[in-house]
């Protein structure tokens, strides 16, 4: 009984951290044991069950809370202004991330002096799974809204929620019970998210145990320059650029911000999915950082779908690595093309594990680099994905703070409490 009471005192982030540590340790142990196949399978099932729970709730959360957010703004001008500022910060942070990725990859010549085996499947065509730019733009507006929901197409769901929200705002006095119903569903969604989060320590344990059990650490060495460059640039963004923006633009303490965001970042690391973390990110920003629910829902939903700073860094480092490995010289125009393509690619990248490496095909293709080069980095991508998802999710949250501070809609008393 006493032990039970003690356990209850451990906070959720600490429990998640313990789950992560145990998952990494047990996973590494399993990778050394020859007979751990069944255990690895169990971890895989547990991890996927946990991810599915989040995927299950993300569409109702985005749809309902975004409709309510648009209704409560009830002002197309305000919506347009917030949308404009959000896109501005998304685009500028992505461009800065890409430019830093390119600069440091070239500076440290990450592909020179590395000997990698030519991939067996050099003819692999990963780009087949990637939509072209025009397709992505046309697909933003769904021709069948039920299909978008069934397929969890987040960009389309955002467009549907915007249209429904604007329409509902116009008739809100005629449909008070519909509005009240949606508010109740919103509360229900929150309660479901909290239930799922109670399982997070076990979920992240399984996810990480599976990843580390299956991961061959030998693949890290030949790609160490690429990994170090990616991690260094990500750290620069996370610990210099984001904090400077928070201090200068939003007048918010980065220490407090990161302290409150820590559980969200742990989840992002474990799940490698911006979408899976979205409901928790929305609630954290609202309840612990003071960004109003409508702004956090709007910006974070959009961000989880179209703002990928960590992914942009990875794609730029990977493009330079592949160019150098294949000894293909890149002109300044091609480098600028890579940077602008990462911006476009991030719109089409789903907030799902490994989505960024698929979109890398589009970036490589656009500058004439061999798409088969992707196979060279696939071995380490699971690890890179964990880190870049943290950067992606944090970037969305930083933008939400910047925009809500500039709109004087940041409740500073919450962050300072
Ligand atoms: N896993 C990343 C995310 O969800 C996307 C990517 O693969 O780059 O943000």
């Amino acid at each position: 009984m006493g032990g039970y009471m003690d356990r209850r005192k451990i906070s959720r982030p600490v429990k998640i951290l313990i789950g992560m540590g145990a998952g990494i340790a047990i996973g590494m142990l399993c990778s050394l044991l020859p007979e751990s196949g069944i255990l690895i399978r169990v971890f895989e099932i547990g991890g996927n069950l946990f991810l599915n729970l989040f995927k299950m709730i993300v569409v109702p959360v985005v749809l309902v809370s975004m409709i309510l957010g648009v209704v409560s703004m009830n002002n197309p001008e305000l919506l347009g202004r917030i949308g404009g500022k959000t896109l501005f910060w998304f685009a500028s942070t992505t461009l800065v991330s890409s430019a830093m990725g390119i600069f440091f990859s070239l500076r440290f010549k990450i592909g020179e002096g590395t000997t990698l085996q030519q991939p067996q499947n050099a003819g692999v065509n990963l780009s087949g799974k990637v939509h072209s730019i025009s397709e992505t733009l046309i697909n933003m507006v769904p021709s069948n809204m039920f299909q978008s929901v069934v397929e969890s197409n987040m960009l389309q769901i955002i467009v549907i929620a915007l249209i429904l929200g604007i329409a509902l705002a116009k008739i809100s006095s005629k449909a008070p019970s519909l509005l009240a119903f949606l508010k109740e569903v919103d509360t229900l969604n929150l309660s479901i998210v909290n239930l799922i989060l109670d399982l997070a320590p076990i979920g992240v344990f399984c996810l990480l145990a599976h990843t580390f059990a299956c991961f061959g650490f030998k693949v890290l060495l030949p790609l160490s320059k690429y990994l170090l460059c990616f991690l260094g640039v990500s750290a620069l963004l996370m610990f210099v650029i984001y904090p400077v923006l928070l201090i200068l633009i939003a007048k918010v303490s980065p220490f407090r911000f990161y302290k409150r965001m820590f559980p969200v970042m742990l989840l992002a690391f474990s799940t490698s999915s911006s979408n899976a973390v979205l409901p928790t990110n929305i609630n954290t920003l609202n309840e612990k950082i003071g960004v109003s629910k409508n702004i956090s829902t709007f910006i974070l939903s959009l961000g989880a779908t179209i703002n990928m700073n960590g992914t942009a860094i990875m794609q730029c480092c990977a493009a330079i690595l592949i160019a150098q490995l294949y000894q293909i010289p890149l002109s300044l125009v091609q480098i600028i093309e890579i940077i602008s393509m990462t911006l476009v690619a991030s719109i089409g990248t789903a907030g799902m594990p490994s989505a960024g490496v698929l979109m890398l095909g589009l970036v490589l293709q656009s500058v004439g680099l061999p798409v088969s080069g992707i196979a060279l980095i696939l071995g380490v991508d699971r690890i890179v994905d964990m880190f870049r998802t943290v950067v992606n999710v944090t970037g969305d949250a930083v933008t939400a703070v910047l925009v809500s501070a500039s709109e004087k809609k940041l409740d500073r008393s919450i962050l300072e409490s």
Side-chain angles (χ1 to χ4, degrees):
M1 180 71 183
Y4 176 67
M5 293 303 286
D6 285 344
R7 242 183 296 141
R8 282 187 62 92
K9 281 191 204 123
I10 304 176
S11 69
R12 192 186 275 154
V14 175
K15 283 188 196 162
I16 295 179
L17 210 57
I18 295 172
M20 283 175 73
I24 294 173
I26 302 277
M28 283 178 161
L29 205 66
C30 286
S31 71
L32 301 174
L33 299 175
E35 297 293 322
S36 52
I38 295 181
L39 212 53
I40 295 177
R41 188 88 186 106
V42 171
F43 295 148
E44 187 185 9
I45 294 172
N48 282 337
L49 282 174
F50 178 63
L51 265 187
N52 280 354
L53 283 172
F54 272 119
K55 285 189 202 158
M56 172 193 83
I57 196 62
V58 72
V59 173
V61 166
V62 171
L63 200 54
V64 174
S65 54
M66 193 127 163
I67 294 174
L68 287 173
V70 175
V71 172
S72 69
M73 282 191 218
N74 195 11
N75 179 347
E77 201 187 306
L78 175 67
L79 198 62
R81 202 172 60 230
I82 290 179
K85 286 182 185 177
T86 304
L87 292 182
F88 167 78
W89 284 116
F90 281 174
S92 11
T93 49
T94 305
L95 288 176
V96 168
S97 310
S98 301
M100 289 197 310
I102 296 274
F103 176 80
F104 285 100
S105 307
L106 289 173
R107 172 80 186 71
F108 294 109
K109 303 188 175 71
I110 58 171
E112 284 181 17
T114 312
T115 31
L116 283 175
Q117 293 270 312
Q118 285 289 322
Q120 301 256 306
N121 48 346
V124 69
N125 185 9
L126 291 158
S127 63
K129 297 177 187 167
V130 172
H131 290 298
S132 71
I133 306 165
S134 56
E135 246 180 310
T136 305
L137 287 177
I138 295 170
N139 284 342
M140 274 173 63
V141 178
S143 54
N144 177 343
M145 60 166 97
F146 297 105
Q147 196 178 355
S148 319
V149 172
V150 170
E151 289 173 357
S152 301
N153 185 322
M154 297 309 288
L155 208 52
Q156 294 185 349
I157 288 170
I158 290 169
V159 172
I160 295 170
L162 276 173
I163 296 172
L164 291 182
I166 294 170
L168 185 57
K170 285 187 188 295
I171 56 148
S172 58
S173 57
K174 289 187 203 148
S177 46
L178 180 56
L179 210 55
F181 172 72
L182 287 177
K183 282 183 185 157
E184 282 167 20
V185 175
D186 197 40
T187 317
L188 174 68
N189 285 343
L190 189 67
S191 163
I192 296 174
V193 170
N194 268 318
L195 277 180
I196 301 172
L197 280 177
D198 282 340
L199 296 173
I202 304 171
V204 300
F205 169 81
C206 290
L207 282 170
L208 290 180
H210 177 249
T211 302
F212 280 82
C214 297
F215 194 74
F217 283 89
K218 278 185 292 199
V219 295
L220 286 180
L221 257 187
L223 289 165
S224 55
K225 273 195 191 171
Y226 161 70
L227 286 172
L228 284 177
C229 184
F230 163 77
L231 288 175
V233 176
S234 300
L236 202 62
L237 189 67
M238 293 279 287
F239 302 118
V240 180
I241 310 275
Y242 288 163
V244 167
L245 290 176
L246 288 171
I247 294 171
L248 293 184
I249 314 276
K251 314 263 182 295
V252 157
S253 151
F255 296 106
R256 282 176 193 268
F257 172 81
Y258 275 113
K259 199 170 162 214
R260 305 281 164 98
M261 279 294 290
F262 193 56
V264 179
M265 289 157 72
L266 291 183
L267 269 186
F269 185 80
S270 318
T271 59
S272 295
S273 168
S274 302
N275 280 355
V277 182
L278 182 56
T280 323
N281 205 2
I282 292 175
N283 291 337
T284 305
L285 243 77
N286 179 229
E287 289 165 9
K288 304 214 169 98
I289 299 184
V291 178
S292 67
K293 182 91 186 261
N294 48 19
I295 293 192
S296 63
T297 308
F298 179 68
I299 297 181
L300 296 181
S301 308
L302 210 56
T305 314
I306 70 168
N307 185 44
M308 309 262 166
N309 297 345
T311 305
I313 297 174
M314 177 280 283
Q315 288 173 340
C316 287
C317 294
I320 300 296
L321 174 83
I322 290 166
Q324 291 184 346
L325 284 175
Y326 285 97
Q327 284 155 10
I328 302 171
L330 291 173
S331 66
L332 184 63
V333 175
Q334 280 174 306
I335 287 178
I336 294 172
E337 249 173 352
I338 295 178
I339 296 181
S340 28
M341 278 314 290
T342 53
L343 188 65
V344 178
S346 60
I347 301 175
T349 309
M352 294 294 186
S354 301
V357 81
L358 285 178
M359 288 307 275
L360 176 60
L362 185 72
V363 177
L364 295 177
Q365 228 172 22
S366 69
V367 284
L369 287 171
V371 176
S372 58
I374 293 179
L376 296 170
I377 56 158
L378 274 185
V380 292
D381 196 63
R382 190 68 190 86
I383 298 284
V384 173
D385 201 0
M386 301 200 289
F387 286 99
R388 68 174 179 255
T389 308
V390 175
V391 180
N392 290 347
V393 165
T394 312
D396 301 338
V398 168
T399 299
V401 173
L402 298 180
V403 173
S404 77
S406 78
E407 286 291 320
K408 313 242 174 323
K409 288 203 161 57
L410 184 66
D411 186 346
R412 290 172 190 277
S413 63
I414 295 184
L415 190 61
E416 275 151 27
S417 64

